[in-house]
Amino acid sequence: MIVACIPTLYRPPTLQPLLDTLRDDGVATIVLETEGMEPRIYKWWNRMADQARAQGATEIAILNDDIKIARGTLPAMAEAMRFDPAVGLVCPGIGTPYLAPDIGLDPVATCVPKRMYCCFPGWNFMFPAELPVRFDEGYHWYGGDDAFENDVRLAGYRVA
């Protein structure tokens, strides 16, 4: 079961269409209302991932609340990831159209340390629920994406 985790502060107009797409795809969702919370996104992501696991998630997707994806995107990402158990982190390619049924896995080059955005976009990515890596809560808003990707690689998984 795929569970999408979405933190939101203002519930932008893009959120409901995203939730509708996820519902149509049979993807369970956790929406975390962050108003009044300390701005520590990696803590939020860990909290939602723990909730997703408690709900029986097999794959966990972390999504921004201001994105648009095509129907079938997350199920296709999960299917591609299930095809290769060595993959611990998957995301759509930057600049690629969301044509979910044709998704495939391409290995991503090694992360460049201390770069704001690493090899995967922090706005839409998925990992197996059993992945033994957590987001480093020492980061508050930036840098934790890169650290997470690096930790996934250090744990012996590939990023695609």
Side-chain angles (χ1 to χ4, degrees):
M1 170 176 73
I2 303 166
V3 177
C5 302
I6 309 168
T8 189
L9 177 57
Y10 300 110
R11 287 190 163 256
T14 51
L15 180 58
Q16 191 56 54
L18 175 61
L19 293 173
D20 293 344
T21 297
L22 297 172
R23 182 199 62 231
D24 292 347
D25 283 346
V27 173
T29 58
I30 296 171
V31 176
L32 178 65
E33 301 287 346
T34 62
E35 185 173 357
M37 296 176 76
E38 185 179 6
R40 297 194 57 185
I41 196 164
Y42 305 107
K43 185 175 184 177
W44 303 343
W45 288 359
N46 278 330
R47 176 178 167 187
M48 290 185 293
D50 290 343
Q51 289 177 306
R53 289 182 190 97
Q55 292 179 13
T58 52
E59 293 83 26
I60 299 170
I62 305 288
L63 307 177
N64 276 11
D65 63 355
D66 60 352
I67 65 170
K68 179 179 180 180
I69 61 174
R71 285 195 178 124
T73 297
L74 293 189
M77 287 169 62
E79 182 180 333
M81 191 169 55
R82 290 175 195 146
F83 181 76
D84 186 350
V87 172
L89 181 60
V90 68
C91 65
I94 294 174
T96 57
Y98 285 81
L99 301 175
D102 297 326
I103 196 167
L105 288 179
D106 293 318
V108 177
T110 302
C111 177
V112 177
K114 298 184 180 180
R115 200 172 88 198
M116 180 61 71
Y117 294 102
C118 220
C119 303
F120 77 98
W123 44 266
N124 178 353
F125 62 94
M126 180 182 291
F127 54 92
E130 73 274 1
L131 184 74
V133 177
R134 294 181 60 79
F135 299 99
D136 184 340
E137 294 180 14
Y139 295 94
H140 293 225
W141 202 254
Y142 295 105
D145 304 31
D146 295 354
F148 181 73
E149 179 181 340
N150 189 54
D151 290 347
V152 167
R153 292 176 188 280
L154 289 174
Y157 292 90
R158 292 188 313 105
V159 176

